[in-house]
């Protein structure tokens, strides 16, 4: 039996196996459900070296840094107001990259590629090149080109989901180059299916034309209401349906959409409503709360302590001594708190499954595009099913 990743399916899709394989015979493709998965394209060339299995976090029960726990935890935000406003939470992700760039590191972060309609890892060598990495892209990132472009003899900050970073830790340990790397992950809800992203783009493009810019977070109504899509398309005004009958997407100008979770945005409802998460996120994620193989973990500092802050506060947690030292060098306002305060509001368990997820999956897998109206009905029905039984009884009594 071969000692390679051919037996691995429905995994985290981190792509580290593809970067590690010296024969370059592993490709990462979307599977039927719209999640990245490895595949060996030329089994004859496989030497059975087992490297792909060794670096695979999905193939191990334990984390690469299994004993590792938070050492120092902070509330943090960039001292540069424009950075704090532009970034998803307080901007520590960007500041971390900016600081390490001045110390001879390059940054492997995630940008959105509108041509391929996907998020992807890439290498930034200057602060300008780092700008596309600003902001969360709430879809699974295609890592292979970014990870393969890393020269293991040079210094890098590598950022990504905790599962990506767990595999990456195994990879750099295997090659004995850990000293060259700083790893940053984030508190991670899950990744949604790319089939859901495709459906969403289809709906959006009916209004704005081909999408050429996406931002997932926007603080114009405050950080606590910043689950907001800002999308630029290329359509001209005369082709636009100005009065969106579904009342889900708010038109602002000719080729621009702004759509918030709090106003029923379809993508956010599908993603955060757990209609279409990766099976691995639901069943196999081992990275919640205080479990990380990275040096530093970031996130949104939800919770009581900063509930009045509308500019954005990052949770910033150092898991290693190296992480502790770097955190002190950031151009950030830091306030130390116990981990429980910094991680307040973060998930301790893996994401659930929506009551109506099976219907969502049926639609996603059908290969046909559904109307915004249909998605809206499904989301509404789910909300009703989540009401407490006594409220449902009351509603029934009025009917
Ligand atoms: C899929 C996903 C789920 C998340 N779930 C949670 C959660 O449950 N709780 C929470 O507090 N925070 C979560 N976050 C993180 C959060 O949204 C912010 O990224 C974080 O607060 C950092 O904000 P910032 O302003 O400091 O960083 P920014 O300067 O905005 O930097 C964002 C960083 O995230 C990286 N990144 C962006 N998109 C991706 C991606 N798709 N895959 C890998 N890396 C990416 C970028 O390279 C960059 O380094 C999640 C992020 C993603 C992408
Ligand atoms: S066993 Fe080695 S050669 Fe074969 S696919 Fe894995 S890394 Fe590549
Ligand atoms: S929820 Fe867990 S398994 Fe899913 S992307 Fe995040 S870290 Fe990976």
């Amino acid at each position: 039996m071969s000692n390679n990743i051919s037996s691995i399916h429905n995994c985290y899709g981190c792509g580290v196996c593809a970067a590690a394989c010296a024969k370059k015979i592993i490709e990462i493709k979307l599977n039927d459900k719209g999640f990245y998965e490895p595949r060996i394209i030329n089994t004859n060339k496989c030497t059975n070296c087992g490297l792909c299995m060794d670096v695979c976090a999905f193939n191990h029960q334990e984390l690469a840094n299994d004993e590792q726990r938070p050492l120092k935890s902070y509330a943090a935000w960039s001292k540069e107001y424009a950075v704090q406003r532009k970034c998803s939470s307080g901007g520590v992700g960007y500041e971390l990259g900016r600081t390490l760039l001045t110390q001879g590191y390059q940054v492997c972060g995630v940008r959105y590629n509108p041509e391929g309609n996907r998020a992807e890892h890439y290498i930034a060598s200057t602060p300008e090149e780092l700008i596309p990495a600003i902001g969360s892209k709430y879809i699974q990132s295609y890592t292979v080109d970014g990870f393969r472009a890393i020269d293991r003899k040079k210094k890098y900050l590598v950022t990504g989901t905790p599962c990506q970073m767990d595999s990456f830790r195994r990879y750099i340990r295997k090659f004995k180059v850990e000293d060259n790397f700083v790893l940053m992950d984030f508190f991670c809800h899950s990744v949604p299916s790319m089939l859901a992203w495709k459906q969403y783009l289809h709906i959006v493009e009916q209004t704005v034309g081909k999408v050429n810019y996406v931002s997932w977070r926007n603080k114009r109504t405050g950080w606590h209401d910043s689950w907001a899509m800002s999308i630029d398309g290329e359509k001209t005004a005369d082709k636009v349906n100005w009065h969106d009958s579904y009342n889900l997407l708010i038109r602002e100008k000719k080729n621009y959409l702004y759509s918030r979770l709090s106003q029923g945005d379809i993508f956010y409802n599908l993603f955060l409503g757990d209609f279409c998460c990766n099976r691995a996120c639901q069943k196999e994620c081992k990275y919640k709360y205080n479990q990380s193989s990275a040096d530093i973990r970031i996130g949104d500092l939800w919770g009581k302590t900063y509930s009045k802050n509308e500019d954005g506060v990052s949770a910033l947690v150092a898991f290693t001594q190296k992480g502790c030292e770097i955190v002190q060098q950031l151009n950030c306002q830091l306030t130390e708190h116990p981990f429980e305060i910094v991680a307040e509001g973060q998930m301790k368990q893996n994401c659930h499954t929506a009551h109506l997820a099976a219907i969502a999956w049926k639609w996603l897998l059908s290969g046909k595009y559904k109307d915004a109206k249909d998605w809206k009905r499904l989301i509404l029905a789910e909300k009703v099913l989540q009401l407490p039984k006594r409220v449902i009884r009351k509603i029934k009594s009025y009917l």
Side-chain angles (χ1 to χ4, degrees):
M1 198 171 137
S2 47
N3 183 25
N4 64 31
I5 48 83
S6 52
S7 57
I8 302 271
H9 300 289
N10 300 313
C11 62
Y12 303 137
C14 69
V16 176
C17 53
C21 174
K23 298 288 169 189
K24 298 218 172 357
I25 51 172
I26 302 176
E27 69 171 13
I28 304 289
K29 287 267 184 221
L30 291 175
N31 63 20
D32 292 349
K33 296 193 92 179
F35 299 104
Y36 289 115
E37 201 179 281
R39 199 168 56 118
I40 301 203
I41 42 177
N42 188 342
T43 38
N44 294 335
K45 280 194 177 173
C46 177
T47 57
N48 265 313
C49 67
L51 185 58
C52 49
M53 294 297 265
D54 290 345
V55 299
C56 171
F58 191 76
N59 183 42
H60 293 83
Q61 286 294 320
E62 72 295 345
L63 272 68
N65 285 0
D66 209 28
E67 300 296 311
Q68 187 168 283
R69 292 293 172 267
L71 295 178
K72 294 262 186 194
S73 310
Y74 303 88
W77 56 86
S78 171
K79 286 183 182 162
E80 204 175 312
Y81 186 62
V83 172
Q84 183 188 16
R85 289 292 301 183
K86 173 92 182 139
C87 292
S88 301
S89 52
V92 293
Y94 181 69
E95 288 297 357
L96 186 58
R98 221 164 41 160
T99 300
L100 290 178
L101 281 172
T102 64
Q103 299 178 11
Y105 284 79
Q106 296 177 74
V107 181
C108 184
V110 175
R111 68 183 167 200
Y112 183 67
N113 171 353
E115 295 308 315
N117 300 325
R118 69 181 189 186
E120 58 189 27
H121 274 74
Y122 77 107
I123 308 286
S125 308
T126 63
E128 292 71 39
E129 286 174 7
L130 190 58
I131 289 171
I134 286 179
S136 300
K137 292 89 191 165
Y138 293 114
I139 48 177
Q140 203 175 15
S141 165
Y142 177 78
T143 61
V144 182
D145 297 340
F147 285 175
R148 275 194 185 144
I150 287 174
D151 175 349
R152 293 192 296 266
K153 293 197 200 80
K154 294 188 176 160
K155 297 202 291 181
Y156 293 88
L157 163 68
V158 185
T159 71
T161 61
C163 51
Q164 290 169 346
M165 291 305 94
D166 192 24
S167 291
F168 204 88
R169 173 72 69 192
R170 292 173 189 283
Y171 169 56
I172 55 179
R173 191 167 285 165
K174 196 86 193 160
F175 284 93
K176 301 191 173 45
V177 289
E178 258 183 299
D179 285 352
N180 289 349
F181 289 84
V182 176
L183 307 189
M184 184 202 88
D185 69 11
F186 38 78
F187 292 102
C188 186
H189 179 277
S190 67
V191 285
S193 167
M194 289 296 281
L195 298 179
W197 182 240
K198 212 168 133 190
Q199 288 272 342
Y200 184 73
L201 284 181
H202 178 75
I203 293 168
V204 167
E205 289 187 345
Q206 286 170 19
T207 312
V208 303
K210 170 79 184 111
V211 166
N212 50 32
Y213 171 81
V214 182
S215 159
W216 275 256
R217 296 283 291 266
N218 186 307
K219 295 179 181 164
R220 70 162 73 168
T221 55
W223 168 52
H224 283 88
D225 189 25
S226 65
W227 306 100
M229 309 291 305
S230 305
I231 299 181
D232 286 342
E234 62 190 18
K235 204 173 210 173
T236 51
D238 57 331
K239 292 180 194 154
V240 165
N241 169 15
W242 285 94
H243 301 285
D244 191 306
S245 55
Y246 312 129
N247 198 25
L248 291 178
L249 306 167
I250 296 181
R251 299 276 310 125
E252 287 240 316
K253 52 186 187 192
K254 60 182 182 183
N255 59 352
Y256 175 65
L257 279 176
Y258 170 65
S259 173
R260 278 182 280 159
L261 172 66
S262 59
Q263 297 192 321
D265 177 71
I266 293 173
F267 174 75
Y268 269 127
N269 268 289
L270 293 180
F271 169 41
L272 295 174
D274 297 337
F275 280 94
C276 54
C277 314
N278 197 354
R279 188 187 180 282
C281 300
Q282 291 176 314
K283 307 273 181 214
E284 313 278 352
C285 180
K286 37 192 190 259
Y287 308 103
K288 289 288 181 286
Y289 202 57
N290 62 357
Q291 304 290 315
S292 171
S293 285
D295 295 291
I296 293 171
R297 171 164 285 182
I298 63 174
D300 284 277
L301 204 163
W302 306 125
K304 291 193 258 325
T305 320
Y306 294 92
S307 60
K308 299 262 182 321
N309 184 306
E310 289 297 354
D311 293 324
V313 182
S314 292
L316 174 62
V317 183
F319 277 83
T320 61
Q321 208 46 51
K322 190 194 256 182
C324 288
E325 283 158 24
I326 292 167
V327 160
Q328 293 303 326
Q329 301 160 25
L330 302 180
N331 180 37
C332 287
Q333 181 69 45
L334 298 182
T335 310
E336 193 170 349
H337 291 290
F339 177 74
E340 296 69 30
I341 300 281
V342 166
E344 195 183 336
Q346 299 298 343
M347 294 157 78
K348 291 185 178 162
Q349 253 114 50
N350 293 350
C351 54
H352 303 291
T353 308
H355 295 94
L356 300 177
I359 299 180
W361 276 115
K362 196 169 140 204
W363 291 357
L364 292 176
L365 294 169
S366 73
K368 295 188 188 124
Y369 289 114
K370 281 285 185 185
D371 244 25
K373 252 189 318 216
D374 297 321
W375 288 112
K376 189 184 171 190
R377 266 202 295 265
L378 186 73
I379 290 161
L380 189 67
E382 176 72 21
K383 290 207 162 110
V384 171
L385 288 174
Q386 283 176 4
L387 289 172
K389 286 208 172 67
R390 62 181 166 74
V391 179
I392 295 181
R393 273 200 300 272
K394 189 131 197 170
I395 294 173
K396 278 185 181 160
S397 73
Y398 286 119
L399 297 173

